[in-house]
Amino acid sequence: MMEYQLTLPTILRRAETLFGKKEIVSRLPDKSIHRYTYYDFAIRTKKLSVALHRLGTGQGDRVATLCWNHYQHLEAYFAIPCMGVIIHPLNIRLSPDDLGYIVNHAEDKIIIVDEVLLPLFEKFKHTIKVSKVIVIPNGGKQIPEEYLNYEDLVASGDDSLFEPFEGDEYSAAFMCYTSGTTGKPKGILYSHRSIMLHVMSFLLSCTGAGINEGDVMLPVVPMFHASAWGFPYSCTFVGTTQVFPGPFLDAESILQLFENEKITLTAGVPTVMMSILNALENEPAKYKLFLRLIILGGSAVPRFLAKSFDENFGIKVLHSWGMTEMSPLGSTSVMTSKLQKASKDEQYDHIAKQGLPVPFVEIRGRNEFGFIPWDGLTMGELEVRGPWICSSYYKGEETTEEKFTQDGWLKTGDIVTISEDGFIEIKDRSKDVIKSGGEWISSVALENSLMGHPSILEAAVIAIPDDKWIERPFAYVVLKEGKNFSAADLNEFLATRFAKFWIPDGYHVIDAIPKTSVGKFLKSALREKFLNEHK
Ligand code: AMP
């Protein structure tokens, strides 16, 4: 066989030569729509690469981005790794302190910042040492002189001088930090090879997304969250039309883009899609939608969400599970031939589970007695291995033992059962587990049921201390507009699904569940709140 390194320029070349006329669309911070072709994208990307090279970046250096989802961010996604440099998207929802820490820890050499995010950047710029700051002019103001203008830089590059990186496929291409809820963020490096194999797996029809050239994809998931789950790379590889929402992630703005751009495929965390479902249910006739599939991940998908999108709007949901440490794809709720013949109810039950590991991802579960049987009942921590799963954290020797087994599998921290057919169901995060009188209670199952109640918009269940049972479940709930709260009604609702001892000891109505920087429920904040209020 030929020696052919799996490196990212392969994707760029394919997009330019085969899909040159397909479109990339972005909603910009001033709400205007920018459109151009994959051909224009490829030329500008090469120019940017050449210009960055001239600024002195070389193989192995890190270039950070502090950007929303838009076409210039996509250019950086390719220009930087396609010259052997590592792109490092920063999570714009982190605190200035954390951002400063991450840039210094990663030793980023250059940073590319959206003009509209300069107020955030300016809060931590004095704490970091980067050689150049490049600003994408998307705020309508004069760029301060101390910074380089992204557009001038692109214009100055000569695309004929572009040198695609075709060196060792194991070289690092992408860097991101975990958005974890405890401790300092931890850095992870994806290689060219790991990204290419991850792309291939997502594109396989057996993972259930069926992404193709005819799709119009809008990733709501931010490009700073685990490479927007790899969509910028997989969509570019197959010539999918890509639509980027910029800073406008409210339900109304997203729904308008869904309609105007005839979006067929989208992806995001369940909390965002719940607000979209809510808006649709309030005004079912307002939007004409073309969506065929919503890919949901990042936290558990409540059953009612999949059911409501399908039954009321004819839109399918694919549930995916993964971790930043896994590039991030681990499993999907793909419908196997057996499930395709099952009743709708069984299919919705299935979509509420995390599903089948995708090709190349190997799984096993372990508890205090050893590896768990695949019986769909016994719980244990999920361990995984595969070609796009990290083997250590960047400069993080001290965490290696804690997070990896002696034979090199990643300990996910997710407590699961695995069915006879190999389907994963996450019962809890290990740190969120509720053990009451020695019995497990799944906070995830309780939350997902509560969010299926007609009055409840969001629900998070935590363990609270109890003298007799050690721990008991307690629920924080957010009501839908105009709805009233009744604990008796919620108890009755849950009693039809769960054993009596699962019913929460109490409820507290709040305005919003606190969330992490990527939209997951921040239960540590609720545990703290509970303890403060019950001293
Ligand atoms: P992150 O690296 O920030 O994406 O967080 C990864 C963690 O999010 C996983 O270990 C799970 O605990 C959780 N997670 C991701 N996807 C899902 C899902 N589909 N269902 C339940 N939990 C999920």
Side-chain angles (χ1 to χ4, degrees):
M1 293 297 146
M2 290 180 183
E3 192 182 311
Y4 188 101
Q5 301 294 320
L6 301 179
T7 59
L8 289 170
T10 299
I11 299 185
L12 185 63
R13 260 194 311 273
R14 186 174 160 86
E16 179 182 355
T17 54
L18 300 183
F19 309 115
K21 292 190 179 136
K22 296 296 302 280
E23 262 192 335
I24 296 165
V25 181
S26 309
R27 179 175 260 165
L28 303 181
D30 66 0
K31 290 213 162 173
S32 64
I33 296 285
H34 174 275
R35 291 174 195 280
Y36 71 168
T37 63
Y38 268 93
Y39 178 78
D40 298 335
F41 153 76
I43 299 297
R44 280 174 53 95
T45 297
K46 289 191 262 183
K47 283 169 169 271
L48 175 63
S49 198
V50 170
L52 285 171
H53 184 67
R54 234 188 22 231
L55 288 182
T57 51
Q59 202 186 328
D61 284 340
R62 263 84 60 203
V63 174
T65 59
L66 190 70
C67 300
W68 292 102
N69 287 12
H70 50 56
Y71 70 101
Q72 288 119 325
H73 205 176
L74 186 71
E75 291 167 0
Y77 251 58
F78 281 88
I80 297 165
C82 284
M83 63 187 283
V85 175
I86 302 166
I87 176 167
H88 175 202
L90 296 167
N91 181 339
I92 62 175
R93 304 220 174 89
L94 293 180
S95 68
D97 279 356
D98 273 348
L99 285 165
Y101 166 83
I102 289 173
V103 171
N104 287 329
H105 190 263
E107 296 173 70
D108 294 324
K109 193 165 175 184
I110 290 183
I111 183 165
I112 301 177
V113 186
D114 273 351
E115 188 190 340
V116 288
L117 290 171
L118 278 179
L120 170 62
F121 175 66
E122 277 162 4
K123 288 193 184 131
F124 66 92
K125 75 171 184 184
H126 301 293
T127 66
I128 62 172
K129 295 186 238 55
V130 289
S131 67
K132 294 272 180 315
V133 178
I134 301 167
V135 176
I136 298 179
N138 54 15
K141 297 204 186 106
Q142 190 77 22
I143 307 281
E145 264 183 18
E146 58 195 296
Y147 303 142
L148 296 173
N149 183 318
Y150 179 92
E151 287 303 326
D152 293 347
L153 198 69
V154 170
S156 74
D158 177 351
D159 55 291
S160 69
L161 299 180
F162 172 64
E163 284 179 35
F165 175 73
E166 286 173 354
D168 182 357
E169 63 188 23
Y170 282 94
S171 307
F174 198 101
M175 182 175 216
C176 46
Y177 277 69
T178 57
S179 56
T181 53
T182 50
K184 283 278 179 213
K186 296 189 279 295
I188 295 146
L189 286 168
Y190 303 163
S191 68
H192 284 263
R193 179 178 191 270
S194 72
I195 295 173
M196 294 298 279
L197 292 173
H198 181 263
V199 161
M200 290 302 299
S201 189
F202 225 141
L203 291 172
L204 289 173
S205 61
C206 65
T207 60
I211 304 170
N212 61 52
E213 179 270 336
D215 273 316
V216 185
M217 167 71 178
L218 186 153
V220 181
V221 49
M223 290 166 88
F224 58 71
H225 184 202
S227 70
W229 306 349
F231 290 116
Y233 294 124
S234 41
C235 291
T236 306
F237 208 14
V238 292
T240 301
T241 302
Q242 296 181 69
V243 180
F244 294 102
F248 307 103
L249 300 178
D250 60 289
E252 170 82 30
S253 303
I254 295 286
L255 280 162
Q256 262 173 14
L257 266 188
F258 281 174
E259 176 173 290
N260 295 349
E261 300 301 326
K262 299 192 168 56
I263 302 297
T264 62
L265 190 63
T266 188
V269 291
T271 42
V272 172
M273 296 302 167
M274 276 193 286
S275 67
I276 288 177
L277 178 67
N278 205 28
L280 276 176
E281 284 177 338
N282 287 341
E283 292 179 280
K286 185 165 175 193
Y287 303 96
K288 183 165 164 37
L289 297 183
F290 302 82
L291 275 172
R292 65 171 182 84
L293 186 71
I294 301 179
I295 302 172
L296 288 176
S299 47
V301 173
R303 183 183 191 277
F304 84 91
L305 197 61
K307 187 171 188 268
S308 308
F309 270 122
D310 185 22
E311 285 188 354
N312 304 337
F313 303 98
I315 303 166
K316 300 279 177 225
V317 162
L318 182 73
H319 185 172
S320 66
W321 164 81
M323 301 173 74
T324 306
E325 286 86 339
M326 302 176 67
S327 304
L329 184 61
S331 69
T332 62
S333 64
V334 60
M335 289 287 161
T336 55
S337 55
K338 189 165 142 194
L339 280 156
Q340 280 166 16
K341 291 182 210 123
S343 68
K344 278 271 181 200
D345 265 345
E346 283 170 282
Q347 292 185 348
Y348 297 135
D349 288 345
H350 169 68
I351 300 171
K353 295 177 189 162
Q354 284 66 22
L356 206 61
V358 298
F360 281 127
V361 171
E362 296 182 49
I363 57 166
R364 67 188 187 193
R366 196 203 295 253
N367 63 17
E368 61 269 43
F369 306 112
F371 292 124
I372 59 169
W374 288 20
D375 57 7
L377 295 171
T378 313
M379 293 203 257
E381 183 180 4
L382 182 63
E383 296 175 355
V384 289
R385 67 172 192 157
W388 55 78
I389 299 173
C390 73
S391 54
S392 64
Y393 291 102
Y394 183 64
K395 298 188 200 161
E397 295 75 19
E398 74 280 6
T399 43
T400 301
E401 215 169 278
E402 194 189 308
K403 287 293 291 184
F404 298 90
T405 65
Q406 276 187 345
D407 58 348
W409 292 54
L410 173 74
K411 300 186 205 171
T412 64
D414 288 325
I415 304 298
V416 301
T417 59
I418 305 175
S419 76
E420 208 184 326
D421 298 330
F423 290 104
I424 304 165
E425 181 173 10
I426 295 188
K427 298 291 184 177
D428 251 316
R429 271 308 275 168
S430 52
K431 58 183 184 301
D432 294 335
V433 152
I434 306 171
K435 223 166 178 191
S436 189
E439 297 285 341
W440 298 87
I441 294 176
S442 166
S443 64
V444 175
L446 284 171
E447 286 158 8
N448 289 348
S449 268
L450 283 170
M451 289 188 282
H453 185 281
S455 304
I456 304 295
L457 185 65
E458 290 180 348
V461 177
I462 58 162
I464 58 166
D466 183 89
D467 287 345
K468 183 168 175 196
W469 304 108
I470 313 294
E471 284 179 350
R472 291 291 303 146
F474 185 90
Y476 283 89
V477 294
V478 179
L479 296 179
K480 284 190 180 157
E481 227 177 283
K483 298 286 181 181
N484 293 323
F485 169 73
S486 154
D489 182 30
L490 293 181
N491 285 347
E492 205 178 299
F493 181 74
L494 292 177
T496 58
R497 289 141 220 246
F498 301 111
K500 208 164 151 219
F501 77 97
W502 277 47
I503 308 291
D505 272 14
Y507 299 89
H508 193 135
V509 178
I510 47 178
D511 292 339
I513 306 283
K515 309 219 172 52
T516 68
S517 57
V518 290
K520 303 179 193 208
F521 292 160
L522 187 56
K523 293 203 208 173
S524 54
L526 291 177
R527 282 192 282 267
E528 227 170 85
K529 180 177 165 65
F530 183 90
L531 292 178
N532 282 337
E533 285 168 2
H534 296 81
K535 268 184 194 154

